[in-house]
Amino acid sequence: MSTFLQQLINGISLGAIYSLIALGYTMVYGVLKLINFAHGDVYMVGAFMGYYLANGLGARGAQMLGAGADSFIARGLLGSGAMEPSLITALVVMLLAMAICAALGVIIERFAYRPVRKYSRLTALITAIGVSLLLENGGQVVFGADPKFFPELFTKQNFNIFGGASINSADIVVLIIALVLMVALQLIVYRSKTGRAMRAVSFNLQSAKLMGINTDRIIMFTFALGSALAAAAGVLVAIRIPRIDPLMGILVGLKAFVAAVLGGIGNIPGAMLGGLLIGITETMVVGYLSPTYKDAVAFAILILILLFRPSGLLGAVAQEKV
């Protein structure tokens, strides 16, 4: 029982991160019907921005990890001031990384996707793959191909809970921040004027234009919002597992895409549910079968969901008129 509870806790924490990344996939698809394969690499950029920002803020471990070019970049971002490691430091790092990646999302949409929007979906899909490769290889040039280890932003400790299981303070932080961001996204999409415009564009782009909605601005906002959530996920992963590299977004991005498809791509609650299910299933497979199958399970779920429920768990089947 203690093993089950421990794996469940780990799975929920991992699933919350998958959910944040999956939300970016599902929002962009809902608005543009585009699978943004570069989204996982924006998550990687968010983790690296958090790394350099943390070093610039003087987080614990920066004196060992921030030598040479890394410390130079960090000082360039934030100057030479230092902050004591704490939850406030972690929040500052995450919010700044989210802002940087939101700007990156706007740049990608404006200069990569908008010029090809009038062409076929295949053209946009190929463009997305190209942007993904650009970020991956550019990341290796700019950040270096070697893995880096994230500074400790706050003191971590384990808390024993019922059944002999324990939860780390890093997992608690991940869960709380992920929950707050998901609730904030729900409020933006369903309770704000911009959110209503996003849903209108998602329903029918041309009709939204006729109703006076600035669709370019709404699409740009969608990319910024999704990229900010991916950056938050990148920092949270780095807090939980403090090892990052320029190719870290490939597999995680694909798993988050599977989570979006599982929940029903284009459906925001579905992306949240899909991320949690993928995270829990993955950790259960590691705990009870073998770590060898950890990465395979997500793609097995993808095959099953495409065979038996292509619209996803919460997705609606679209009826097409002949």
Side-chain angles (χ1 to χ4, degrees):
M1 188 63 183
S2 62
T3 302
F4 175 79
L5 288 174
Q6 190 65 62
Q7 296 299 331
L8 182 62
I9 292 168
N10 296 338
I12 292 173
S13 178
L14 179 62
I17 292 168
Y18 285 153
S19 295
L20 287 177
I21 306 172
L23 286 169
Y25 279 107
T26 206
M27 286 193 301
V28 171
Y29 183 85
V31 170
L32 283 181
K33 300 297 182 285
L34 166 69
I35 299 172
N36 181 19
F37 281 116
H39 190 65
D41 301 295
V42 174
Y43 149 85
M44 175 272 295
V45 173
F48 271 94
M49 290 300 99
Y51 169 80
Y52 289 119
L53 290 163
N55 282 335
L57 288 170
R60 187 174 301 160
Q63 66 275 16
M64 295 182 292
L65 302 171
D70 292 344
S71 61
F72 177 77
I73 295 174
R75 286 196 299 270
L77 285 170
L78 289 173
S80 58
M83 293 176 64
E84 288 296 323
S86 66
L87 285 176
I88 300 299
T89 307
L91 287 174
V92 170
V93 166
M94 189 186 74
L95 290 174
L96 289 175
M98 289 173 69
I100 293 170
C101 284
L104 176 62
V106 169
I107 292 170
I108 291 172
E109 190 280 327
R110 178 63 185 85
F111 295 103
Y113 296 141
R114 189 181 299 183
V116 301
R117 201 186 298 163
K118 58 185 177 182
Y119 301 118
S120 68
R121 291 184 186 176
L122 181 60
T123 302
L125 183 63
I126 294 171
T127 303
I129 295 172
V131 173
S132 175
L133 292 173
L134 175 65
L135 290 176
E136 289 165 14
N137 291 281
Q140 293 184 75
V141 172
V142 175
F143 305 134
D146 57 308
K148 293 177 173 56
F149 296 89
F150 209 79
E152 187 174 332
L153 295 179
F154 57 90
T155 303
K156 299 176 185 177
Q157 54 183 319
N158 286 325
F159 299 97
N160 293 322
I161 55 177
F162 54 90
S166 64
I167 185 169
N168 191 276
S169 55
D171 289 325
I172 296 174
V173 170
V174 167
L175 289 172
I176 292 175
I177 292 178
L179 181 61
V180 168
L181 290 175
M182 290 178 194
V183 171
L185 178 65
Q186 283 286 93
L187 293 176
I188 290 172
V189 173
Y190 292 103
R191 302 288 182 181
S192 70
K193 184 178 179 180
T194 302
R196 288 194 296 271
M198 288 172 63
R199 285 182 281 135
V201 172
S202 174
F203 184 75
N204 192 304
L205 179 64
Q206 298 303 322
S207 296
K209 286 182 179 179
L210 294 174
M211 294 301 293
I213 295 174
N214 187 339
T215 55
D216 286 340
R217 184 180 65 83
I218 295 301
I219 292 170
M220 185 181 293
F221 177 78
T222 302
F223 270 87
L225 192 57
S227 299
L229 292 175
V235 174
L236 293 177
V237 163
I239 289 174
R240 190 171 179 266
I241 308 170
R243 182 184 183 276
I244 60 175
D245 65 82
L247 301 181
M248 63 183 286
I250 299 175
L251 194 56
V252 173
L254 288 174
K255 290 179 182 178
F257 171 68
V258 172
V261 174
L262 174 61
I265 194 161
N267 186 297
I268 290 177
M272 300 178 190
L273 175 62
L276 289 172
L277 290 177
I278 291 292
I280 292 171
T281 304
E282 184 177 311
T283 54
M284 290 299 177
V285 167
V286 171
Y288 289 99
L289 294 179
S290 169
T292 306
Y293 306 113
K294 180 185 74 168
D295 297 328
V297 65
F299 303 104
I301 291 173
L302 176 62
I303 293 170
L304 292 174
I305 201 71
L306 291 176
L307 286 174
F308 297 106
R309 192 173 174 82
S311 60
L313 297 177
L314 301 184
V317 179
Q319 300 292 333
E320 293 188 6
K321 296 181 179 180
V322 178

